[in-house]
Amino acid sequence: LWFAHFPNSNLLLKQIIMKFVFLALCGGVSFANGLRSTFIEQEKEHLQIDPVIIRPPPPPPEGGCTCVSDYDCNKPVCVRDPYSGQGFCSASSSGGIDFQAEKREVGSEFGCPCVSDYECRRKTKCVESHYGGQKTCQDGGGGFARPTPAPTVKGQQCCDDPHKIPTECEVEILIEMMDIAIQSNRKLAAQWLRLAFHDAGTFNVNTNEGGANGCLMTHFPMTQEPENGFLNIPISTLEAIKINWEGHPETCLDVSAADMIQFAGHFSALRQTDTPGIDFVKIADLMTFEWGRSDEPNCDTAWTHNLPGFQGLVPPSQIGDLPQRCLMAGKEIKDKMILRNGFSAMESVALLGAHTIGLTRNSFGASLAAPWVLNGADAATPQGPIFDNGYHHYLEHTLVADDAPTFSADQTPVTQPFPDWFRDPTFGNQVNHLDTDITIAFPTQDPAMHPTTAR
């Protein structure tokens, strides 16, 4: 109004009047704020309400969901709230639910939402409001106990419907796990291949019993049969991989033991073929594996009698009769692999080629352990043995004899015959062959007893 009536007023006077008006306004606001603060403090004292800092809700736990076991979490542990019973993926390796860890690091935990006292690092208690609702970190009052670790159980709360047949992404995870296992223990390549045949080789085509049914993993007495000796380590390793694979946060699976065993054998043979190791071509081949086998609920140890053996095929009195040993070894192959398993003679000979990797490491004692061929030794390459035709090449080209009677007179290059196997020391790094290996190198002596194939 002053400036409207006195437009020509002195400029200095105008400035003085403006400052006076500004100070008057600020004083009024300050006075009003002072009254408001006094009123709020009196109300707080009267109602005894603790101050609460309102914060947005905490972010979801890393892992993307609630959990049942540690395998559900990208962070180290799954912890359970003892009051709600709910498990949460926690960033804290000590087991505390730790949604506000980053805020507490800068000292701003006062008023933060909490579940237990472990949520409040500097303030000692996790306190519930007098009127209920969200618990927050406060200076005093009651307290809520530390959560206890959730038990590890099979299955995932985030995986409501596990499937039997894995996706390609899930198979890639399994391939990586198996590859790491063989790199750590190169013996596993041959042992998993043997495991795959010994689970499938229980099949009897005449009774339709046995077969690739997972019994070697699901029925412990099967591992105690003589035919399945020394398979405990490859089985337990595969079981551990299965548990980790099915518990991986990026899988939702309940795959059969039968499928795991056969995939392990397929993986081992393919991984060790050509240049041992895994590449894109081999991965593409592994993706063609057919899943969907069922585990047998009623395993029978008698099915192991369908597996070919190599010991005790002739009585002690005939150990020196090499043609007879070859004949009885051929009969074992025909009786078991052809007449019971249902393979042809050619398929049987091809399957015996699995001996191209691995060692006869157990039955003959550590001092006599050796591979069938040098490339099949565990340490043949940094990535393990080489799966190739070396086994068949040895039988066809290295043995001097062309038939069993000639072999009886000249076992070159074998120089140390044993009761049911032979040893070749000529490479300076011995190789071993069983009677059931040697016999497929020679023509049939008796078609009624011996497979009809020959080299």
Side-chain angles (χ1 to χ4, degrees), residues 376-400:
D378 299 331
T381 76
Q383 291 287 341
I386 300 174
F387 190 88
D388 57 15
N389 287 327
Y391 169 86
H392 294 105
H393 187 276
Y394 179 93
L395 295 176
E396 183 174 359
H397 298 289
T398 306
L399 292 177
V400 173

Side-chain angles (χ1 to χ4, degrees), residues 207-241:
T207 63
N208 198 32
E209 294 177 321
N213 52 23
C215 284
L216 270 172
M217 277 181 67
T218 63
H219 190 60
F220 178 74
M222 294 290 282
T223 65
Q224 304 305 297
E225 293 298 306
E227 292 84 353
N228 294 326
F230 307 103
L231 285 174
N232 292 9
I233 291 177
I235 290 172
S236 61
T237 304
L238 194 59
E239 287 174 333
I241 290 175

